Amino acid sequence: MSVGSSEKPPVNRAKFATNLGVLAATLGSAVGLGNIWKFPYLTGSNGGAAFLLVYIICMLLIGIPVMVSELTLGRAARSNAIATMQKLSPARQPWWLIGAAGVLAAFLIMAFYSEVAAWVFAYIFKAIQGGILSTDPEVTKSAFNGLVGNPTQSLIWQWIDLAVVGFIILLGVNKGIESATKKLMPILLGLLILVGIRSITLPGAGQGLTFLFQPDFTKLTAASFLIAMGLAFFKLSVGMGTMITYGSYFRDDQDIPGTAFRVAFSDLAVSLLAGIAIFPAVFAFGYQPNAGPSLLFLTIPSVFASMPLGNIFMVIFFILTAIASIGAQISLVEVPVAFLEEKFHLSRQKASIITVLSIVLVGSLAALSNSTLADVKLFGMTFFDLFDYTTSNILLPLGGLFIAIFISWIWGYKKLSAALSNNGQLSNQGIIKVFYGTLLVVTPVLVTIVLLNGLKIIQ
Ligand code: TRP
């Protein structure tokens, strides 16, 4: 993302140098709180294994095809999300609205995402102090509730997170973060594996594995299909232009479908590891799998409490989670920043400051959702839940739907095929046909049905 992001296209737009660089950067956007916090909490609230299966199907039939589309469009236009859609669409057709909806989605996602990151930051310090390390649900619950119920702490940690993200974007040192992420990601993986091993050797752990891996289809509802699809969008950072921006930095000889598959499956592996770390602990210590957004913050301290050197490992765990979250947040914030810069000819500094300050404003509504504004509800949801729900389950699917329709119906097979085969250099005609067919029919039809059904418009 960093690469050339402060330049005005198309002058010398920089490109990712190596295949590993592309993979690391794209994964850096995909992997984040979505894997460690959102995936477990949604899987827990929607019945476990059956939901996981629907999620994987959505990833294959919707998430990956949309990711391929976004990367392709971005590379073809080499511009920010809105300008890409403007450049590639036929005259007087308003496809740029997809990019505009993406900018809106970026703000709303950041509003609650920065608050979850705030909890992670707070937990680094709580872990250092040691007070939260306990296998007793009462202790971990009151620690979490104490944090989110305190308006000052909720706001201050969010500002700290946004200051960190803002500085990285402002100083244009994203490259440093990228290379840091590349090095730290394997450590996070290693630590997740370690926590997973501890968790599955807890007494009573089997129930957690059954919950995660043995589907009970009676638990699925129209709403859970919608939520699984929303998670597929959110996880792969698609539906709002992040991957268009990344695609604009891809080299012409980069294998886009291959990269998308590798990113999606590595990302799934991280989510599964997080699930394996969390669900056995849910059952071993007597938590509720449907605890909601608090799930990670209750169970993880209990697992570490039952490990030698647990306190130190927990500090490292939350530091690495914070770093992963920052990588994802940079990719989110970059969308409005790049747009403001190019559209209104603002300096990178101004664009970054305006963006971060706007997130501070909207974000405070999410930050105060468990304290001062706990009783303010729209459609029965607090601001936090509303931002979380509407972005994943409405805005991203709509963005993805139109991107799929645009690339298959408007851009068409010829251009898509040339782009995905790198003008015939890759011999992947079979894969290209599968993608084309999927984007032409399967993705749009599935997204439409799941959306309408999940939102109870048809039944
Ligand atoms: N995928 C990231 C995660 O799982 C979050 C994220 C980053 C995102 N960029 C995005 C979600 C763009 C939707 C759209 O944590």
Side-chain angles (χ1 to χ4, degrees), residues 245-298:
T245 318
Y246 273 89
S248 72
Y249 304 124
F250 270 40
R251 284 176 310 157
D252 290 323
D253 60 352
Q254 185 74 31
D255 175 2
I256 289 182
T259 306
F261 276 116
R262 277 191 287 271
V263 168
F265 282 97
S266 316
D267 179 73
L268 177 64
V270 178
S271 297
L272 288 177
L273 276 178
I276 292 170
I278 287 173
F279 285 108
V282 167
F283 293 92
F285 299 117
Y287 291 101
Q288 295 302 321
N290 61 355
S294 64
L295 189 67
L296 165 76
F297 299 92
L298 305 179

Side-chain angles (χ1 to χ4, degrees), residues 29-35 109 113 234-235 237-238 240 242 328 331-332 396:
S29 164
V31 172
L33 297 172
N35 308 70
I109 292 176
Y113 203 98
F234 187 88
K235 270 312 317 121
S237 307
V238 294
M240 56 147 282
T242 287
S331 77
L332 278 160
L396 300 181

